[in-house]
């Protein structure tokens, strides 16, 4: 697959991987079958990002709200994450991928937390692709946890209230230090953000597709990147200003 023009490749892509359940239902199979197929799509899209030179990929694997799903589905998802960690980390490490989990990890069992920590430590020196898996994540939670850190810094006397500005506050938000989010993709047909990366998506281009997540592959990723490359990103300026820059 030829890489797109490097200047037009988004540096950071986030994906709401939606549609696993419907994909499985269409095949008269349990929802866990769809999640398992979704895992294969994750592998393919990671491969596509590596090929195209995307620097960071952030995937919404489990939202703060997903705990409300039937208990057997939640358990199956946890089991799937554990198995995926066991199976995929070697390969990701060999490919130069740095793995991070973002979200409120305290809610998970000790075994899963320990394996997430081990995977993060093991891959910490890799720099080819930053792969962030959002688990028990919510965009509002993220802003609130940053606000708590800001309040702590003020209470501790390290910071004055008026010193809190967007740049400073942004340092406490998850994924600080990574390239800004350029492209936000949602599969599965719904046109909403669903409490993912609210702060980080401020200037992201949004891309929605009806394709169900298990069917999303490298060709779909390429189409999304091509669509991104055609957008004019103005960041609040006029088209003329952008053309002159
Ligand atoms: C949304 O589809 C998907 C999820 C809640 C889980 C995402 C998990 C994976 C793709 C599995 C592999 C991930 C990793 C990181 C190993 P849905 O169940 O809401 O689908 P529906 O809208 O059709 O019901």
């Amino acid at each position: 697959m030829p890489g797109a023009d490097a200047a037009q490749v988004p540096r950071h892509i986030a994906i709401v991987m939606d549609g696993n359940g419907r994909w499985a239902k269409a095949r008269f199979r349990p929802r866990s079958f769809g999640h398992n197929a979704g895992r294969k799509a994750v592998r393919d899209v990671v491969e596509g990002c590596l090929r195209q030179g995307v620097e960071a990929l952030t995937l919404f694997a489990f939202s703060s709200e997903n705990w409300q799903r039937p208990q057997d589905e939640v358990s199956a998802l946890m089991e799937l994450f554990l198995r995926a960690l066991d199976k995929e980390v070697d390969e990701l490490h060999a490919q130069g991928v740095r793995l991070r989990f973002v979200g409120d990890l305290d809610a998970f069992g000790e075994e899963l937390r320990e394996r997430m920590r081990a995977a993060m430590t093991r891959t910490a020196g890799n720099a080819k692709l930053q792969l962030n898996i959002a688990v028990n994540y919510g965009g509002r939670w993220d802003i609130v946890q940053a606000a708590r850190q800001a309040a702590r810094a003020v209470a501790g006397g390290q910071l004055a209230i008026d010193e809190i500005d967007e740049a400073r506050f942004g340092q406490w938000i998850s994924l600080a230090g990574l390239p800004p989010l350029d492209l936000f993709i949602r599969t599965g047909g719904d046109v909403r953000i669903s409490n993912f990366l609210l702060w980080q998506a401020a200037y992201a281009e949004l891309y929605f597709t009806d394709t169900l997540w298990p069917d999303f592959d490298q060709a779909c990723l390429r189409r999304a990147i091509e669509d991104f490359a055609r957008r004019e990103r103005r960041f609040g300026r006029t088209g003329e200003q952008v053309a002159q820059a």
Side-chain angles (χ1 to χ4, degrees):
M1 182 176 71
D5 178 348
Q8 296 173 335
V9 171
R11 295 179 67 199
H12 187 169
I13 299 178
I15 310 183
V16 177
M17 309 181 287
D18 203 9
N20 293 348
R22 280 165 283 162
W23 188 90
K25 194 171 177 200
R27 287 160 182 77
F28 307 101
R29 303 295 296 266
R31 296 175 61 82
S32 55
F33 183 72
H35 294 317
N36 206 38
R39 181 176 140 196
K40 297 193 184 98
V42 169
R43 211 181 295 144
D44 201 36
V45 165
V46 166
E47 188 75 41
C49 286
L50 283 164
R51 286 189 183 192
Q52 301 231 31
V54 173
E55 292 170 52
L57 173 67
T58 303
L59 301 174
F60 207 5
F62 194 82
S63 74
S64 317
E65 292 76 27
N66 284 154
W67 294 109
Q68 293 160 33
R69 293 194 172 197
Q71 183 53 43
D72 61 340
E73 182 174 351
V74 173
S75 308
L77 269 170
M78 294 303 142
E79 191 53 40
L80 178 72
F81 293 150
L82 274 174
R83 261 190 293 129
L85 275 171
D86 282 348
K87 278 202 168 170
E88 313 288 352
V89 173
D90 282 347
E91 164 120 33
L92 291 171
H93 187 45
Q95 288 172 314
V97 175
R98 177 173 186 172
L99 196 56
R100 277 196 192 90
F101 293 89
V102 292
D104 186 1
L105 306 187
D106 291 345
F108 294 105
E110 183 48 35
E111 187 190 4
L112 185 50
R113 270 195 345 245
E114 180 45 41
R115 289 212 220 165
M116 289 195 263
R117 270 197 296 268
M120 287 194 268
T121 308
R122 176 145 181 239
T123 60
N126 297 337
K128 218 155 170 225
L129 173 69
Q130 311 285 324
L131 175 59
N132 312 302
I133 311 287
V135 283
N136 196 24
Y137 179 87
R140 289 180 176 174
W141 164 84
D142 201 355
I143 294 168
V144 168
Q145 67 79 26
R148 283 204 191 114
Q149 296 194 58
R152 245 177 245 127
V154 170
Q158 296 106 294
L159 194 68
I161 288 181
D162 290 341
E163 287 175 318
I164 300 175
D165 57 13
E166 289 182 20
R168 182 85 61 136
F169 192 77
Q171 289 170 1
W172 286 303
I173 293 275
S174 301
L175 312 179
L178 293 182
L181 183 60
D182 289 321
L183 177 59
F184 182 111
I185 298 174
R186 182 179 185 134
T187 65
D190 285 328
V191 182
R192 53 178 171 256
I193 292 179
S194 294
N195 198 21
F196 194 33
L197 304 177
L198 298 179
W199 176 278
Q200 299 87 337
Y203 285 104
E205 295 296 325
L206 307 180
Y207 179 89
F208 298 96
T209 169
D210 289 337
T211 303
L212 302 176
W213 176 248
D215 291 326
F216 195 88
D217 59 11
Q218 290 190 45
C220 300
L221 178 72
R222 205 169 52 238
R223 275 196 290 280
I225 292 178
E226 283 164 4
D227 186 89
F228 171 85
R230 285 193 293 271
R231 310 259 181 112
E232 182 189 55
R233 304 187 79 201
R234 294 197 294 275
F235 301 100
R237 291 170 294 170
T238 66
E240 290 71 30
Q241 286 174 309
V242 172
Q244 280 160 17

